[in-house]
Amino acid sequence: MIYFDNAATTLFKPECVIKANDYATRKLSANSGRGSHSASVKAAAVIYEARKAVRDYVGCDEVIFGFNCTDMLNTVIFGTARRGHVVTTVYEHNSILRPLQELKNRGLITFTAVEPDRHGVIDPRDIERAVRSDTYLLAINHVSNVTGAVAPVAQIGAIARRYGILYLVDGAQSVGYMDVNMREIGCDYLCFSPHKGLHGTQGIGCLCVKGNPPLNAFKFGGTGTASNSLEQPTDIPEGFECGTLPVAGAFALIAAINYRKKNAHEVRNLAYLGELMRSELSKITGVRLYGKYNVMPNIACFNIDGMDAAVVGDILNEQYDTAVRCGLHCAPLCHRYLGTLDTGAVRASLSYHNTEREVEFFVKAIAEIAK
């Protein structure tokens, strides 16, 4: 199979990640922070080292672990919620839009989804124009999972600081593929999952916190701390990590970060392959490529004239043994902006394991289908 659905989750995992996950599953499966015996202490040491690895990698102060990026985004959106206004964009994934809509349905907030300019780029000035006197949070997707559009997150960070507004960045599509540093961005919260750009394992998500921004409990349960109280602890990170922590995922995360640091050259090759794919697709008659300026090259979102995206995906799967993502990509406002709510769109997303030969095969397949 040619696997071009890496924006959803990467299929290829480095050998060091596989070995780390296997070892931790067999040898380190005790509960971290839930006992004083040696196995629990070893598990706690893994969690500590994983937090340190993430802190060093993205420049944050604290790291909260959860199930995935969606879990962590919900933790921030509900954990900072108060009566007021939120600014976001039409590029957001439903992991941001649905929590905001739920808070709106409860009558607690309103939110504004800023559209990109005519080049498909989010203009920081439009973000600033959307700010109101009661705006308390900016929730911004660093890289669109649909078009690959890259938001000017550092410029938006300057706006957040100027107005004293909390700032959340969704790094699901950027961490591992780009240099992401919270100090440079100026955000309070950064969420990501290592099973995408870092080629880590599924089942663990990271909420990175910079400074001491407010955060209220979103989930409740056992934390291994303050166990004599019925009240949820408020300390970060333990007060926000209910239940058993993903020790194996944390150990694999350490390996994934170390691998990425040692193999930074792969980013250049990925950019080359992505630019090749987008360039060749744009030459095919009948193919409409979405996103042109300031995009991550490894994501190509397109449609073939007169064809539903799901049909294209089925043909690629059944006749060319090629996996892509088709549909609305959990980003309805983006598809409304693109005019693809009815047809959906085809997304081909590359990662480090893909090759030039696979890209050439894929482009030829799309040309044949387009005929």
Side-chain angles (χ1 to χ4, degrees):
M1 171 187 284
I2 294 177
Y3 187 83
F4 281 4
D5 193 21
N6 293 283
T9 191
T10 50
L11 187 66
F12 168 76
K13 307 299 180 186
E15 189 64 26
C16 61
V17 170
I18 295 171
K19 288 181 177 179
N21 184 75
D22 289 347
Y23 174 81
T25 301
R26 290 185 290 107
K27 301 291 187 179
L28 301 171
S29 289
N31 259 2
S32 167
R34 305 300 193 271
S36 58
H37 54 79
S38 59
S40 179
V41 171
K42 287 181 180 178
V46 169
I47 296 297
Y48 172 82
E49 291 299 329
R51 292 195 212 280
K52 184 176 183 299
V54 174
R55 285 198 302 265
D56 292 344
Y57 191 62
V58 302
C60 65
D61 296 319
E62 296 287 354
V63 181
I64 298 169
F65 290 128
F67 304 125
N68 48 44
C69 189
T70 296
D71 181 31
M72 299 290 84
L73 290 168
N74 272 259
T75 298
V76 175
I77 292 170
F78 285 99
T80 59
R82 60 182 174 85
R83 195 167 297 280
H85 176 249
V86 176
V87 176
T88 187
T89 79
V90 300
Y91 280 143
E92 305 310 309
H93 190 275
N94 272 338
S95 52
I96 283 181
L97 293 177
R98 284 181 172 173
L100 292 180
Q101 184 63 37
E102 175 61 24
L103 291 173
K104 181 179 179 181
N105 292 344
R106 296 180 187 181
L108 187 62
I109 73 163
T110 58
F111 68 90
T112 300
V114 173
E115 290 193 352
D117 62 20
R118 62 189 180 89
H119 299 298
V121 178
I122 296 296
D123 189 333
R125 293 171 295 183
D126 290 333
I127 298 291
E128 186 166 14
R129 279 190 281 266
V131 170
R132 305 186 333 198
S133 60
D134 61 342
T135 301
Y136 69 89
L137 176 68
L138 305 182
I140 307 296
N141 194 334
H142 193 176
V143 174
S144 167
N145 72 302
V146 181
T147 67
V150 181
V153 289
Q155 292 171 272
I156 295 172
I159 295 169
R161 292 191 298 274
R162 187 180 310 135
Y163 290 91
I165 300 170
L166 296 173
Y167 184 22
L168 163 65
V169 171
D170 176 1
Q173 300 296 337
S174 60
V175 175
Y177 290 130
M178 302 171 60
D179 290 331
V180 180
N181 189 291
M182 293 183 70
R183 289 187 291 269
E184 296 174 1
I185 294 173
C187 59
D188 301 289
Y189 317 96
L190 169 73
C191 299
F192 70 92
S193 288
H195 69 90
K196 300 191 186 215
L198 282 172
H199 292 255
T201 56
Q202 298 172 337
I204 185 170
C206 302
L207 164 51
C208 306
V209 181
K210 183 68 179 168
N212 189 33
L215 196 64
N216 297 314
F218 167 57
K219 295 174 290 187
F220 302 85
T223 62
T225 59
S227 296
N228 62 325
S229 174
L230 297 181
E231 300 294 333
Q232 184 74 12
T234 59
D235 54 315
I236 295 177
E238 288 85 358
F240 296 85
E241 294 176 336
C242 301
T244 301
L245 289 171
V247 177
F251 200 52
L253 171 57
I254 298 170
I257 289 175
N258 289 336
Y259 177 86
R260 177 55 39 236
K261 288 180 175 178
K262 293 177 182 177
N263 295 276
H265 63 279
E266 292 181 335
V267 174
R268 293 190 296 272
N269 185 57
L270 180 62
Y272 164 74
L273 290 180
E275 289 165 0
L276 174 65
M277 176 176 66
R278 294 178 62 85
S279 174
E280 294 303 308
L281 285 174
S282 68
K283 299 174 184 177
I284 301 173
T285 302
V287 170
R288 180 178 181 183
L289 190 62
Y290 302 104
K292 182 178 180 181
Y293 300 98
N294 201 33
V295 296
M296 285 274 286
N298 63 304
I299 295 178
C301 182
F302 63 94
N303 270 321
I304 298 176
D305 289 345
M307 296 189 70
D308 189 276
V311 174
V312 177
D314 288 343
I315 294 173
L316 285 169
N317 180 54
E318 295 167 7
Q319 299 183 24
Y320 296 92
D321 196 24
T322 298
V324 295
R325 173 71 184 271
C326 298
L328 299 181
H329 311 286
C330 300
L333 297 187
C334 181
H335 284 281
R336 183 181 300 167
Y337 162 76
L338 294 174
T340 56
L341 267 178
D342 294 331
T343 62
V346 181
R347 183 189 68 195
S349 50
L350 309 181
S351 197
Y352 304 114
H353 75 288
N354 293 123
T355 66
E356 186 169 350
R357 180 175 295 181
E358 288 178 330
V359 170
E360 292 170 349
F361 178 88
F362 175 72
V363 170
K364 182 179 179 182
I366 295 301
E368 291 174 357
I369 295 170
K371 289 181 180 180

